[in-house]
Protein backbone atom coordinates (compact mmCIF):
# COMPACT_ATOMS: atom_id res chain seq x y z
CA UNK A 1 0.00 0.00 0.00
CA UNK A 2 1.43 3.35 -1.07
CA UNK A 3 0.70 6.03 1.53
CA UNK A 4 0.99 9.79 1.23
CA UNK A 5 -0.24 12.66 3.36
CA UNK A 6 -1.50 16.09 2.38
CA UNK A 7 -2.71 19.13 4.31
CA UNK A 8 -5.63 21.50 4.01
CA UNK A 9 -4.21 24.72 5.44
CA UNK A 10 -6.56 27.48 6.60
CA UNK A 11 -5.71 31.05 7.47
CA UNK A 12 -7.30 34.50 7.29
CA UNK A 13 -6.41 37.85 5.83
CA UNK A 14 -7.95 41.33 5.98
CA UNK A 15 -10.09 42.86 3.27
CA UNK A 16 -9.40 46.44 2.27
CA UNK A 17 -11.05 48.78 4.74
CA UNK A 18 -14.26 50.14 3.18
CA UNK A 19 -15.42 52.14 6.17
CA UNK A 20 -13.05 53.89 8.59
CA UNK A 21 -15.68 53.53 11.29
CA UNK A 22 -15.43 49.73 11.21
CA UNK A 23 -12.72 47.12 11.73
CA UNK A 24 -11.19 45.56 8.64
CA UNK A 25 -13.29 42.63 7.45
CA UNK A 26 -11.59 39.24 7.51
CA UNK A 27 -11.63 36.62 4.76
CA UNK A 28 -10.98 32.88 4.94
CA UNK A 29 -8.06 31.49 2.93
CA UNK A 30 -6.60 28.11 1.94
CA UNK A 31 -3.24 27.08 0.49
CA UNK A 32 -2.67 25.42 -2.92
CA UNK A 33 0.48 24.67 -4.90
CA UNK A 34 1.23 25.57 -8.53
CA UNK A 35 -0.73 22.49 -9.71
CA UNK A 36 -3.86 23.64 -7.83
CA UNK A 37 -3.37 20.85 -5.32
CA UNK A 38 -2.86 20.67 -1.56
CA UNK A 39 0.71 20.39 -0.23
CA UNK A 40 1.79 16.73 -0.14
CA UNK A 41 4.33 15.02 2.13
CA UNK A 42 6.10 11.71 1.60
CA UNK A 43 5.47 9.21 4.39
CA UNK A 44 8.04 6.76 5.75
CA UNK A 45 7.64 3.85 8.14
CA UNK A 46 10.04 5.24 10.72
CA UNK A 47 7.89 7.88 12.39
CA UNK A 48 4.31 8.82 13.22
CA UNK A 49 2.59 10.31 10.15
CA UNK A 50 1.54 13.38 12.12
CA UNK A 51 5.17 14.13 13.01
CA UNK A 52 6.14 13.94 9.34
CA UNK A 53 3.39 16.41 8.46
CA UNK A 54 4.37 18.76 11.29
CA UNK A 55 7.96 18.84 10.00
CA UNK A 56 6.69 19.50 6.47
CA UNK A 57 4.49 22.41 7.56
CA UNK A 58 7.37 23.86 9.61
CA UNK A 59 9.56 23.82 6.49
CA UNK A 60 6.83 25.48 4.41
CA UNK A 61 6.31 28.40 6.79
CA UNK A 62 9.41 28.55 9.00
CA UNK A 63 7.38 28.30 12.21
CA UNK A 64 6.20 25.66 14.66
CA UNK A 65 3.25 27.77 15.78
CA UNK A 66 0.14 26.31 14.17
CA UNK A 67 -2.85 24.08 14.95
CA UNK A 68 -3.01 20.57 13.46
CA UNK A 69 -5.40 17.62 13.60
CA UNK A 70 -6.11 14.63 11.37
CA UNK A 71 -9.03 15.32 9.05
CA UNK A 72 -9.71 12.14 7.08
CA UNK A 73 -8.19 9.09 5.38
CA UNK A 74 -9.08 8.60 1.72
CA UNK A 75 -8.96 5.07 0.32
CA UNK A 76 -11.27 5.21 -2.68
CA UNK A 77 -9.66 3.43 -5.66
CA UNK A 78 -10.83 5.99 -8.23
CA UNK A 79 -8.45 8.52 -6.66
CA UNK A 80 -5.43 6.19 -6.67
CA UNK A 81 -2.30 7.26 -8.57
CA UNK A 82 0.88 5.40 -9.45
CA UNK A 83 2.67 6.78 -6.41
CA UNK A 84 -0.21 7.02 -3.94
CA UNK A 85 -3.21 4.99 -2.88
CA UNK A 86 -4.07 5.67 0.73
CA UNK A 87 -4.09 9.44 1.43
CA UNK A 88 -4.10 10.76 5.00
CA UNK A 89 -5.23 14.39 5.22
CA UNK A 90 -4.43 16.75 8.08
CA UNK A 91 -6.13 20.05 8.82
CA UNK A 92 -3.84 22.95 9.73
CA UNK A 93 -4.63 26.48 10.93
CA UNK A 94 -1.96 29.13 10.86
CA UNK A 95 -1.88 32.82 11.67
CA UNK A 96 -0.14 34.67 8.83
CA UNK A 97 1.77 36.83 11.30
CA UNK A 98 3.58 33.69 12.52
CA UNK A 99 4.92 32.82 9.05
CA UNK A 100 8.67 33.36 8.75
CA UNK A 101 9.10 32.24 5.16
CA UNK A 102 6.92 31.13 2.27
CA UNK A 103 8.04 28.88 -0.58
CA UNK A 104 7.35 30.11 -4.11
CA UNK A 105 5.30 27.10 -5.16
CA UNK A 106 2.42 27.68 -2.73
CA UNK A 107 -0.12 30.50 -2.60
CA UNK A 108 -2.95 31.62 -0.35
CA UNK A 109 -6.37 31.73 -2.00
CA UNK A 110 -9.42 33.60 -0.72
CA UNK A 111 -12.30 31.15 -0.62
CA UNK A 112 -16.01 31.86 -0.96
CA UNK A 113 -18.86 29.36 -1.22
CA UNK A 114 -22.36 30.21 -2.39
CA UNK A 115 -25.47 28.11 -2.83
CA UNK A 116 -26.70 28.14 -6.42
CA UNK A 117 -30.12 29.72 -6.54
CA UNK A 118 -32.94 27.22 -6.35
CA UNK A 119 -30.88 24.41 -4.83
CA UNK A 120 -29.01 23.67 -1.60
CA UNK A 121 -27.29 20.60 -3.07
CA UNK A 122 -24.98 22.39 -5.52
CA UNK A 123 -22.61 25.12 -4.44
CA UNK A 124 -20.36 27.45 -6.39
CA UNK A 125 -16.83 27.72 -4.99
CA UNK A 126 -14.46 30.57 -5.88
CA UNK A 127 -10.75 30.56 -5.06
CA UNK A 128 -8.87 33.80 -5.71
CA UNK A 129 -5.18 34.66 -5.33
CA UNK A 130 -3.39 37.79 -6.50
CA UNK A 131 -3.08 36.55 -10.07
CA UNK A 132 -5.22 33.45 -10.38
CA UNK A 133 -8.88 32.49 -10.11
CA UNK A 134 -10.31 28.99 -9.80
CA UNK A 135 -14.03 28.34 -9.94
CA UNK A 136 -15.92 25.08 -9.64
CA UNK A 137 -19.28 23.63 -8.66
CA UNK A 138 -19.62 20.83 -6.13
CA UNK A 139 -22.69 18.74 -5.40
CA UNK A 140 -23.52 17.22 -2.00
CA UNK A 141 -25.74 14.16 -1.72
CA UNK A 142 -27.02 12.37 1.37
CA UNK A 143 -27.67 8.64 1.61
CA UNK A 144 -28.60 6.16 4.32
CA UNK A 145 -25.81 3.71 5.02
CA UNK A 146 -26.23 1.19 7.88
CA UNK A 147 -28.95 3.42 9.37
CA UNK A 148 -26.59 6.44 9.31
CA UNK A 149 -26.74 9.47 7.06
CA UNK A 150 -23.58 9.77 4.96
CA UNK A 151 -22.73 12.70 2.70
CA UNK A 152 -20.81 12.47 -0.55
CA UNK A 153 -19.37 15.34 -2.60
CA UNK A 154 -18.67 15.33 -6.34
CA UNK A 155 -17.60 17.92 -8.90
CA UNK A 156 -20.47 18.85 -11.20
CA UNK A 157 -18.05 19.00 -14.16
CA UNK A 158 -14.32 19.00 -14.80
CA UNK A 159 -12.40 21.96 -13.43
CA UNK A 160 -8.86 23.29 -12.97
CA UNK A 161 -8.99 21.61 -9.58
CA UNK A 162 -9.17 17.83 -9.19
CA UNK A 163 -12.18 16.27 -7.52
CA UNK A 164 -10.42 14.92 -4.43
CA UNK A 165 -8.89 18.34 -3.68
CA UNK A 166 -12.35 19.92 -3.98
CA UNK A 167 -13.80 17.25 -1.67
CA UNK A 168 -11.05 17.77 0.91
CA UNK A 169 -11.64 21.54 0.89
CA UNK A 170 -15.36 20.97 1.47
CA UNK A 171 -14.70 18.40 4.20
CA UNK A 172 -12.21 20.73 5.88
CA UNK A 173 -14.68 23.61 6.01
CA UNK A 174 -17.38 21.35 7.43
CA UNK A 175 -14.91 20.21 10.11
CA UNK A 176 -14.11 23.83 10.97
CA UNK A 177 -17.82 24.61 11.33
CA UNK A 178 -18.29 21.65 13.61
CA UNK A 179 -15.20 22.23 15.73
CA UNK A 180 -15.69 25.96 16.15
CA UNK A 181 -18.90 25.27 18.08
CA UNK A 182 -17.36 23.04 20.74
CA UNK A 183 -13.59 23.71 20.90
CA UNK A 184 -11.17 26.63 21.03
CA UNK A 185 -10.12 26.15 17.38
CA UNK A 186 -11.20 29.71 16.43
CA UNK A 187 -8.42 31.19 18.56
CA UNK A 188 -5.78 29.56 16.33
CA UNK A 189 -6.59 32.13 13.63
CA UNK A 190 -5.78 35.06 15.93
CA UNK A 191 -2.88 36.66 17.74
CA UNK A 192 -2.49 35.75 21.41
CA UNK A 193 -4.27 39.04 22.23
CA UNK A 194 -7.39 40.02 20.30
CA UNK A 195 -10.60 42.00 20.45
CA UNK A 196 -14.05 40.45 20.72
CA UNK A 197 -14.91 41.92 17.31
CA UNK A 198 -11.95 40.14 15.73
CA UNK A 199 -12.99 36.86 17.33
CA UNK A 200 -16.58 37.33 16.17
CA UNK A 201 -15.38 37.85 12.60
CA UNK A 202 -13.60 34.47 12.72
CA UNK A 203 -16.81 32.77 13.79
CA UNK A 204 -18.79 34.58 11.09
CA UNK A 205 -16.53 33.75 8.14
CA UNK A 206 -16.36 30.08 9.14
CA UNK A 207 -20.06 29.69 9.93
CA UNK A 208 -20.93 31.92 6.94
CA UNK A 209 -23.51 33.95 8.83
CA UNK A 210 -23.77 37.17 10.83
CA UNK A 211 -23.97 36.85 14.59
CA UNK A 212 -25.72 39.13 17.07
CA UNK A 213 -22.92 40.79 19.09
CA UNK A 214 -24.70 40.56 22.46
CA UNK A 215 -25.47 36.85 22.01
CA UNK A 216 -21.95 36.13 20.79
CA UNK A 217 -20.37 37.93 23.74
CA UNK A 218 -22.49 35.88 26.14
CA UNK A 219 -21.48 32.64 24.41
CA UNK A 220 -17.72 33.24 24.46
CA UNK A 221 -17.44 35.19 27.73
CA UNK A 222 -16.30 32.14 29.77
CA UNK A 223 -13.64 31.38 27.12
CA UNK A 224 -11.78 34.69 27.31
CA UNK A 225 -9.91 36.85 29.82
CA UNK A 226 -9.75 40.62 29.76
CA UNK A 227 -6.37 42.36 29.64
CA UNK A 228 -5.51 45.94 30.53
CA UNK A 229 -4.64 46.74 26.89
CA UNK A 230 -6.77 48.55 24.34
CA UNK A 231 -6.56 48.98 20.57
CA UNK A 232 -8.01 51.65 18.29
CA UNK A 233 -8.43 50.54 14.67
CA UNK A 234 -11.51 52.50 13.66
CA UNK A 235 -13.19 55.82 14.23
CA UNK A 236 -15.16 54.42 17.15
CA UNK A 237 -13.97 54.13 20.76
CA UNK A 238 -10.95 51.88 21.47
CA UNK A 239 -11.57 48.17 22.07
CA UNK A 240 -10.29 46.10 24.97
CA UNK A 241 -7.94 43.24 24.17
CA UNK A 242 -8.56 39.72 25.47
CA UNK A 243 -6.71 36.40 25.68
CA UNK A 244 -7.99 32.84 25.63
CA UNK A 245 -8.96 31.56 29.08
CA UNK A 246 -7.04 28.29 29.33
CA UNK A 247 -8.78 27.45 32.62
CA UNK A 248 -11.99 26.97 30.65
CA UNK A 249 -10.59 23.81 29.02
CA UNK A 250 -11.11 21.81 32.24
CA UNK A 251 -14.89 22.12 31.77
CA UNK A 252 -14.78 20.49 28.31
CA UNK A 253 -15.35 16.81 27.77
Amino acid sequence: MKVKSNVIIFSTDNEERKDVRRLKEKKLQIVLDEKNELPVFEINNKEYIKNTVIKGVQELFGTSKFYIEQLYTWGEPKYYKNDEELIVTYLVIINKNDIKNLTNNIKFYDISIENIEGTKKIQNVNLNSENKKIEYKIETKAKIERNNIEYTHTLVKESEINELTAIIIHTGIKRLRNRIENTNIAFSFLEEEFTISELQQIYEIILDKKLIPANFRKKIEPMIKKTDKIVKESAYRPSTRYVFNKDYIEYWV
Side-chain angles (χ1 to χ4, degrees):
M1 180 69 71
K2 303 167 185 175
V3 181
K4 280 196 175 181
S5 185
N6 61 14
V7 285
I8 173 72
I9 300 169
F10 289 101
S11 189
T12 60
D13 206 346
N14 292 325
E15 300 273 10
E16 282 190 38
R17 194 192 298 273
K18 298 176 182 178
D19 187 340
V20 296
R21 297 170 298 176
R22 301 179 63 85
L23 290 174
K24 292 179 180 179
E25 294 291 330
K26 292 189 178 297
K27 53 188 177 183
L28 186 64
Q29 295 186 316
I30 64 165
V31 169
L32 296 177
D33 65 17
E34 72 276 8
K35 296 179 181 178
N36 303 332
E37 295 182 354
L38 303 170
V40 174
F41 303 112
E42 297 287 344
I43 301 302
N44 60 61
N45 60 0
K46 297 180 181 179
E47 65 179 351
Y48 183 27
I49 293 178
K50 184 177 181 181
N51 291 340
T52 301
V53 176
I54 289 173
K55 290 177 183 177
V57 176
Q58 288 174 342
E59 290 178 5
L60 280 180
F61 300 115
T63 180
S64 59
K65 191 175 180 181
F66 51 84
Y67 173 91
I68 183 170
E69 69 171 62
Q70 187 173 331
L71 175 65
Y72 206 81
T73 299
W74 314 91
E76 193 168 345
K78 73 175 183 177
Y79 299 125
Y80 288 174
K81 298 180 182 179
N82 291 333
D83 61 342
E84 62 185 46
E85 294 175 358
L86 196 67
I87 301 172
V88 183
T89 299
Y90 280 83
L91 182 152
V92 167
I93 299 172
I94 191 165
N95 184 312
K96 276 191 167 181
N97 291 328
D98 293 323
I99 295 175
K100 301 297 187 297
N101 62 266
L102 192 62
T103 57
N104 293 329
N105 66 325
I106 63 169
K107 288 184 172 59
F108 283 88
Y109 285 78
D110 304 339
I111 180 169
S112 63
I113 301 176
E114 295 180 351
N115 290 330
I116 294 179
E117 189 174 353
T119 176
K120 291 184 177 180
K121 295 181 179 179
I122 300 178
Q123 293 178 307
N124 195 55
V125 183
N126 285 286
L127 305 175
N128 291 286
S129 68
E130 291 180 357
N131 52 15
K132 194 171 185 179
K133 180 176 181 180
I134 302 171
E135 184 176 354
Y136 60 91
K137 292 179 176 60
I138 192 163
E139 182 176 13
T140 300
K141 293 181 179 178
K143 64 177 181 179
I144 303 295
E145 190 78 27
R146 296 181 298 280
N147 294 323
N148 295 318
I149 298 177
E150 293 191 3
Y151 295 92
T152 59
H153 310 293
T154 55
L155 282 179
V156 173
K157 61 180 180 180
E158 288 189 6
S159 170
E160 295 178 74
I161 201 166
N162 69 61
E163 185 170 69
L164 183 56
T165 299
I167 292 171
I168 293 174
I169 292 171
H170 234 61
T171 305
I173 289 175
K174 287 180 180 295
R175 173 69 64 85
L176 281 183
R177 289 175 178 172
N178 176 268
R179 300 280 278 158
I180 202 172
E181 295 285 11
N182 52 42
T183 73
N184 64 324
I185 199 170
F187 297 88
S188 299
F189 287 96
L190 297 169
E191 298 288 332
E192 184 175 346
E193 296 179 356
F194 51 84
T195 66
I196 291 180
S197 295
E198 288 173 332
L199 180 59
Q200 181 171 330
Q201 282 190 33
I202 297 299
Y203 274 79
E204 289 178 340
I205 61 174
I206 291 175
L207 297 174
D208 194 24
K209 64 180 180 180
K210 289 293 183 182
L211 303 175
I212 299 172
N215 292 348
F216 177 76
R217 182 181 285 266
K218 183 177 180 181
K219 170 187 172 67
I220 56 92
E221 191 170 18
M223 301 169 65
I224 59 178
K225 283 184 177 180
K226 189 176 182 179
T227 73
D228 57 359
K229 299 178 183 178
I230 61 172
V231 60
K232 184 172 176 136
E233 290 188 353
S234 68
Y236 287 119
R237 66 181 183 180
S239 299
T240 301
R241 299 194 74 84
Y242 292 81
V243 295
F244 175 61
N245 178 16
K246 295 180 181 179
D247 294 336
Y248 186 65
I249 294 177
E250 67 183 78
Y251 298 106
W252 294 351
V253 176

